[in-house]
Amino acid sequence: MKRLSLDILQQEQSRDELTEGLEVHHGIPIPPDMSHPRQDGYRTPTVHDYEREKGDTTQDERPPNAKPATTQSPSTGLLSRQPPLLKLSRIDLDLERLHWRERIRHYTWTFFTLTMATGGLANVLYAVPFRFRGFDTIGVVLFLFNLLLFVINVSMISLRFYTFPETFRASYMHPSERLFLPASVVSFGTLLINTSQCRSGGPLLQRDISVDVNALQPPAGIFRWSTKSFTVETMTPIWIFPIYPLLIIGPHAAIICKSLSPSVALDIIIGGFTLQGIGFLVAFMIYASFIYRLMTQKLPQASARPGMFVSVGPSGFTVAAVLGMADALPRSVPPDFMGDGPLAAMILKIVANWACLWIWGLAMWFFFVSVGAHWSCARQDEHLAFDMTWFSFIFPNTALITATFAVGKAFQSKAIQIVGCVMTVLLVIAWFVVFGMMIRAIVRKQILWPQKGEDRDEGGFTAPEKQPERHLSTLSKMTSNALASIRSNGQ
């Protein structure tokens, strides 16, 4: 009798542990994968739920004292706790359907990495030294397509904040999503760069763009990192992302100063060089944390490794900016600049060319480290689930390619320029692959889905309380009917 009572007590304790934190209706605990999407604790059902229902006990064979399953954010490395799973009989409900309004709720700032990558690709096509008839037309079409994508991004994220007002504050309080806030600024900056390259508006447009650059400089320098406590063990190069708005000012200044009057061009060069230096030096200090993390904690987990390419961008953008502005110095300085204008411009240009070789080499080193990290994933046949951070394969490498073209031009090396052309072809292929994977992920509900994007619950952050709606969804109605039927049968 004692043994039977002890067994009953242990079963009750196990049941209490399993149902802890779950919503209860009329004494019946509702698992997270059967609750309404707008209720706290909702978890999108996964393939593991159906495997458990089919008899797969892999998840149930964990040691009794094992900790709950956790996942790591691809961007910040923060751990997020997965809700406990209950082994219940399957109710024939369509759990994989979600209203389009609910999917818009998860349209995060990371989608601006798409426009960053597309604008960066257009910038690379502009810098290609070997051209053919119709090449410029391809670049213009890509620029217009990027403009359309930018409008879609602005419209969708505005609709998200309008439909779900609580997500606006959550977007800049979330430890991961807030890191991608600068992506919108960088996307707008790439559009300005592409507009300058098109030169469709003549001198008036160029003068207006120069004013836009000066207006962009103060807000671009106002950025903040997360107020959460991050450790070096979870460090990824995504931490550099808030400084990226400063890193595109120099390349923009290098482009527009070539078509402005000398007096205005010199002001643009001085301002662009100053802000570019601030951005690179801050990124350089963050590099130290990344190297320390690699030396003490090895490589990041597979899902976080695409973000390693972000470390390529600061050096690449700086090389392209400095060499471009140095090339424009001879026509921009007055005769009495630093005593002898032409001589000073030539000396500064020579110093810039040789100094940028070091920085270009640093960018190449980070590129090969990032490629090697993914090569180990391919050898171990690890599956990398798509995430919007995959566009890190594109945008930072656009900076490396433009820097390669700039170095080849500075030293009149056709071999370096040919290497840049080969990298351009590979980059175009990579853009199509990543863009196709994004469409596939949307269709297969790998993104724009609860707990699948950068707005997932992690690092102690939970989604804000959701506002009640006037009507229940189909899933909620069916669940309520099932509970009512169970209650009536019990009576």
Side-chain angles (χ1 to χ4, degrees):
M1 191 68 179
K2 280 185 178 182
R3 184 174 182 180
L4 179 61
S5 302
L6 182 60
D7 292 340
I8 295 175
L9 180 61
Q10 291 177 349
Q11 291 178 1
E12 291 179 352
Q13 291 177 349
S14 300
R15 183 185 61 186
D16 293 339
E17 292 177 357
L18 287 174
T19 59
E20 182 181 359
L22 299 180
E23 185 177 358
V24 179
H25 287 277
H26 305 289
I28 302 175
I30 303 299
D33 58 325
M34 292 177 59
S35 60
H36 186 257
R38 287 185 170 273
Q39 293 175 348
D40 292 336
Y42 172 77
R43 180 183 62 78
T44 304
T46 65
V47 67
H48 301 293
D49 300 329
Y50 302 107
E51 290 176 354
R52 292 165 65 86
E53 292 164 5
K54 292 178 181 178
D56 184 2
T57 59
T58 303
Q59 299 290 337
D60 297 327
E61 294 176 354
R62 293 185 303 172
N65 298 328
K67 296 181 179 180
T70 59
T71 58
Q72 193 171 16
S73 167
S75 55
T76 59
L78 295 176
L79 295 178
S80 58
R81 177 174 175 174
Q82 297 295 332
L85 300 176
L86 293 181
K87 192 173 183 179
L88 302 175
S89 59
R90 181 180 180 184
I91 299 178
D92 189 14
L93 298 176
D94 191 0
L95 299 178
E96 291 298 327
R97 289 185 180 180
L98 201 63
H99 197 271
W100 65 271
R101 293 177 71 251
E102 287 290 340
R103 299 198 71 174
I104 290 177
R105 181 186 184 89
H106 306 286
Y107 201 95
T108 62
W109 294 105
T110 55
F111 277 84
F112 280 95
T113 58
L114 167 62
T115 48
M116 286 172 52
T118 309
L121 183 60
N123 185 33
V124 169
L125 295 182
Y126 171 80
V128 172
F130 308 110
R131 315 182 75 81
F132 55 85
R133 187 176 181 180
F135 197 86
D136 293 337
T137 303
I138 297 175
V140 172
V141 171
L142 188 60
F143 161 65
L144 295 177
F145 179 64
N146 187 43
L147 182 61
L148 174 63
L149 293 176
F150 183 78
V151 172
I152 292 175
N153 276 342
V154 173
S155 301
M156 294 296 289
I157 202 164
S158 299
L159 186 60
R160 173 201 181 192
F161 295 149
Y162 175 78
T163 308
F164 305 97
E166 68 275 5
T167 61
F168 177 73
R169 182 175 183 272
S171 68
Y172 62 84
M173 294 297 294
H174 194 281
S176 292
E177 186 179 359
R178 76 166 77 188
L179 292 176
F180 292 90
L181 278 168
S184 58
V185 180
V186 177
S187 296
F188 181 70
T190 56
L191 286 175
L192 290 180
I193 293 176
N194 297 151
T195 305
S196 303
Q197 293 166 343
C198 290
R199 300 179 181 177
S200 58
L204 179 61
L205 177 62
Q206 297 299 316
R207 185 169 61 252
D208 291 340
I209 290 176
S210 68
V211 175
D212 292 338
V213 171
N214 291 328
L216 182 63
Q217 288 172 0
I222 302 174
F223 60 90
R224 61 184 179 88
W225 279 271
S226 172
T227 55
K228 296 286 183 180
S229 297
F230 293 107
T231 60
V232 176
E233 290 77 9
T234 61
M235 192 275 174
T236 64
I238 294 293
W239 290 12
I240 303 176
F241 211 72
I243 203 66
Y244 258 64
L246 286 175
L247 293 170
I248 65 170
I249 294 179
H252 195 183
I255 293 172
I256 65 176
C257 69
K258 297 177 181 179
S259 57
L260 298 174
S261 62
S263 59
V264 178
L266 183 60
D267 294 338
I268 294 295
I269 291 174
I270 294 175
F273 186 81
T274 302
L275 292 172
Q276 188 71 30
I278 295 174
F280 177 72
L281 291 177
V282 173
F284 191 77
M285 289 184 284
I286 301 177
Y287 278 159
S289 299
F290 182 48
I291 298 298
Y292 178 78
R293 184 249 188 276
L294 292 178
M295 297 294 291
T296 58
Q297 303 295 327
K298 299 183 180 180
L299 292 172
Q301 67 169 2
S303 61
R305 292 184 190 181
M308 292 179 64
F309 282 99
V310 176
S311 60
V312 178
S315 301
F317 282 122
T318 301
V319 171
V322 172
L323 292 181
M325 289 184 287
D327 187 59
L329 266 179
R331 64 167 296 272
S332 303
V333 297
D336 58 345
F337 181 75
M338 293 186 178
D340 189 339
L343 179 61
M346 185 58 62
I347 293 175
L348 291 175
K349 183 177 180 179
I350 294 173
V351 172
N353 290 348
W354 286 98
C356 283
L357 276 180
W358 285 7
I359 306 177
W360 179 61
L362 180 64
M364 294 293 291
W365 185 83
F366 276 113
F367 172 77
F368 285 117
V369 168
S370 302
V371 171
H374 290 81
W375 177 256
S376 64
C377 293
R379 291 186 59 185
Q380 298 173 8
D381 196 23
E382 295 185 21
H383 175 69
L384 294 178
F386 178 84
D387 192 87
M388 289 303 292
T389 56
W390 276 34
F391 281 101
S392 299
F393 291 135
I394 311 298
F395 183 70
N397 291 324
T398 64
L400 176 61
I401 296 176
T402 54
T404 302
F405 287 138
V407 171
K409 179 182 178 181
F411 290 91
Q412 300 178 356
S413 173
K414 285 189 176 181
I416 295 178
Q417 292 178 339
I418 292 175
V419 171
C421 291
V422 174
M423 296 174 67
T424 301
V425 174
L426 297 177
L427 186 72
V428 171
I429 296 174
W431 184 90
F432 277 105
V433 171
V434 175
F435 187 83
M437 291 294 292
M438 181 192 70
I439 301 299
R440 177 175 176 267
I442 293 176
V443 174
R444 300 185 65 175
K445 305 178 181 66
Q446 294 178 351
I447 56 177
L448 290 180
W449 202 258
Q451 302 299 328
K452 292 291 186 70
E454 297 300 326
D455 60 338
R456 65 173 66 87
D457 295 343
E458 63 180 15
F461 181 90
T462 55
E465 184 177 355
K466 305 169 183 65
Q467 298 179 354
E469 289 190 335
R470 298 179 181 178
H471 62 278
L472 295 175
S473 66
T474 304
L475 175 62
S476 179
K477 289 181 180 179
M478 296 181 69
T479 304
S480 300
N481 293 337
L483 291 172
S485 175
I486 294 174
R487 183 180 180 185
S488 61
N489 292 335
Q491 294 176 349

